[in-house]
Amino acid sequence: MIKACLVLMKGVVREVTYPIEDRVTIGRSPINVIHLTDPSVSRKHAVIYQVGGENVIEDLGSHNGTFINGEKVQKAALRNGDVIRIGNVVLHYKEEPVPEPAEAVITEELLETAQEVRILSDDLHHVRISTTESVAPDTSRLSRRLSDALSSCVLFSSVDQETLEFLSQNSRLLIFDRGRIIFRQGDRANSLFVILEGLVHIFIHDMEGRELHLAILGEGQFFGEMSFVAKEPRNATVQVLEETLLCEVGFSVLEEVLRRCPSVREVLERFHRERLEVMEAKKKAAGLVERRRYPRLNEAFPLSFSVLSLAGVGAMFKGRVFRSISRDISLGGVRLKIQDRALLALPVGTQLKMELLLPRPWGVMRVLGTVKSVLEGKEGGDIGYIGVEFYELSSANRKKLQQFLQGERD
């Protein structure tokens, strides 16, 4: 049995397939079976139907016409490999044998392997690889197209074909909807991204929440390398401006690429330096003063604290142990959520004795800190936040904290 379909290429590696079953209408109106939004397509442009076991395409009086292999037609039988132009939209007509059921299962497993979705905090349901928009069961062909796309990125332009194939076979394709956050300033980092299609906005926030634009990146560009080079949490937030297809390259995969092709490291470090210079220049021009001496990691873990010195502090704090959750942490201090409204009256400069319960395997860490800021939260949100600077941190705890921040283990 032969299965027919129309294939529309969307960018470098994605295809949209439209099965040809019974009568298939094509046009700009959403009532059509194949809905094409390009303005060159008429509302009711063409129709495909069967005559004597053959698929026939017929133009429905469209404004810009229907073309088969460059020839304008009113009605024509379709053959495998035909190139159909509907207005300015190009479709490829394909006929393929229907595989046996066992083979179909294997194909589906291969597609599932190639189409993974990364969990990104609260944005999970906005990250997708749509099986209805990715049709090629020939995963080697997909891998080849991805290799070609990656080779056009300046980061991997000098990489040999074998390493490109390794890269494409060990990377993940992700689609983000418009408005979604890919990662946030302060998030833990374990990968970089190459933009295959779409646009992203890169920006940072200062301590007061003011936004500073850094860059808009598009097809063929990459981001996320700064955390790899500096071994620090993300130093900016990246948001999607339009539906965007990304290739995610894990840091462990990137390390292997660097081992095979050392020249890639030079490109990484050059982009890191240049982008860091641009960021610092823009911060200076905007009058944005960074009070944080160390990069902060967005990490929530339980902690407790008590007031160490009661001089100038209300009696309400005497002998009390407060429990809280961290919001972010660095080598220099921690920001914690206020769980008790009385803490909004805690004076800046108050000394605290703290016990931080880091995730396994790091465990408990005891430190002394000084209150640097007390900020009331927005209505409907958290009560507020306390910024604490560590002033006594043992060398053992400092090493433990550094390992925790970098995701390292003994």
Side-chain angles (χ1 to χ4, degrees), residues 188-343:
R188 195 181 293 280
N190 55 21
S191 59
L192 65 74
F193 300 87
V194 177
I195 304 172
L196 302 179
E197 296 174 35
L199 290 173
V200 301
H201 178 210
I202 301 181
F203 57 93
I204 60 174
H205 286 110
D206 66 7
M207 291 291 287
E208 281 71 47
R210 293 177 299 174
E211 182 179 307
L212 176 64
H213 162 80
L214 294 180
I216 291 177
L217 302 181
E219 184 177 326
Q221 296 179 288
F222 65 94
F223 60 91
E225 83 293 340
M226 298 186 79
S227 293
F228 177 82
V229 175
K231 300 189 183 301
E232 294 175 348
R234 303 294 190 187
N235 64 355
T237 297
V238 181
Q239 185 175 31
V240 173
L241 294 179
E242 60 183 43
E243 184 183 79
T244 295
L245 175 64
L246 300 174
C247 177
E248 183 189 25
V249 180
F251 285 168
S252 59
V253 174
L254 185 57
E255 287 283 8
E256 175 60 18
V257 172
L258 295 180
R259 187 189 68 78
R260 298 184 183 194
C261 303
S263 60
V264 174
R265 187 179 298 277
E266 297 174 12
V267 181
L268 272 177
E269 292 178 348
R270 173 165 59 83
F271 270 82
H272 176 258
R273 286 194 305 271
E274 292 173 355
R275 287 174 169 176
L276 197 58
E277 288 171 3
V278 169
M279 183 170 68
E280 292 305 320
K282 289 193 174 187
K283 285 163 66 175
K284 184 176 180 180
L288 192 156
V289 179
E290 183 58 80
R291 296 199 298 267
R292 301 167 173 174
R293 288 187 296 162
Y294 303 98
R296 289 183 172 262
L297 173 69
N298 298 333
E299 190 78 30
F301 54 82
L303 58 87
S304 61
F305 63 92
S306 57
V307 174
L308 195 60
S309 172
L310 292 174
V313 181
M316 69 181 81
F317 300 110
K318 184 177 181 181
R320 292 188 63 182
V321 175
F322 296 91
R323 286 176 171 76
S324 183
I325 300 292
S326 68
R327 173 153 180 166
D328 57 50
I329 186 170
S330 74
L331 277 175
V334 64
R335 186 161 53 139
L336 56 92
K337 295 182 181 181
I338 293 176
Q339 311 275 43
D340 188 327
R341 188 166 289 275
L343 289 169

Side-chain angles (χ1 to χ4, degrees), residues 82-289:
D82 280 348
V83 177
I84 305 169
R85 181 159 62 83
I86 305 290
N88 293 330
V89 178
V90 176
L91 299 157
H92 297 264
Y93 177 76
K94 293 186 177 182
E95 294 179 348
E96 296 176 347
V98 176
E100 295 298 321
E103 293 177 4
V105 171
I106 295 173
T107 297
E108 185 63 29
E109 289 175 353
L110 287 172
L111 285 173
E112 288 175 1
T113 301
Q115 299 168 349
E116 296 177 324
V117 174
R118 190 175 67 135
I119 298 174
L120 291 172
S121 61
D122 297 330
D123 297 311
L124 172 61
H125 59 292
H126 298 287
V127 186
R128 57 190 171 82
I129 288 293
S130 172
T131 54
T132 61
E133 292 189 358
S134 184
V135 300
D138 184 352
T139 54
S140 63
R141 184 160 57 92
L142 175 64
S143 179
R144 286 196 302 273
R145 290 210 308 270
L146 182 53
S147 294
D148 292 342
L150 291 173
S151 68
S152 67
C153 173
V154 63
L155 181 60
F156 301 118
S157 59
S158 64
V159 171
D160 61 86
Q161 188 59 39
E162 185 180 351
T163 303
L164 279 174
E165 291 174 4
F166 164 80
L167 186 60
S168 64
Q169 292 167 7
N170 290 278
S171 300
R172 298 195 285 183
L173 295 179
L174 304 173
I175 300 175
F176 284 80
D177 293 330
R178 180 182 177 182
R180 290 304 100 199
I181 298 294
I182 298 171
F183 56 71
R184 301 179 190 276
Q185 183 178 351
D187 283 353
R188 195 181 293 280
N190 55 21
S191 59
L192 65 74
F193 300 87
V194 177
I195 304 172
L196 302 179
E197 296 174 35
L199 290 173
V200 301
H201 178 210
I202 301 181
F203 57 93
I204 60 174
H205 286 110
D206 66 7
M207 291 291 287
E208 281 71 47
R210 293 177 299 174
E211 182 179 307
L212 176 64
H213 162 80
L214 294 180
I216 291 177
L217 302 181
E219 184 177 326
Q221 296 179 288
F222 65 94
F223 60 91
E225 83 293 340
M226 298 186 79
S227 293
F228 177 82
V229 175
K231 300 189 183 301
E232 294 175 348
R234 303 294 190 187
N235 64 355
T237 297
V238 181
Q239 185 175 31
V240 173
L241 294 179
E242 60 183 43
E243 184 183 79
T244 295
L245 175 64
L246 300 174
C247 177
E248 183 189 25
V249 180
F251 285 168
S252 59
V253 174
L254 185 57
E255 287 283 8
E256 175 60 18
V257 172
L258 295 180
R259 187 189 68 78
R260 298 184 183 194
C261 303
S263 60
V264 174
R265 187 179 298 277
E266 297 174 12
V267 181
L268 272 177
E269 292 178 348
R270 173 165 59 83
F271 270 82
H272 176 258
R273 286 194 305 271
E274 292 173 355
R275 287 174 169 176
L276 197 58
E277 288 171 3
V278 169
M279 183 170 68
E280 292 305 320
K282 289 193 174 187
K283 285 163 66 175
K284 184 176 180 180
L288 192 156
V289 179

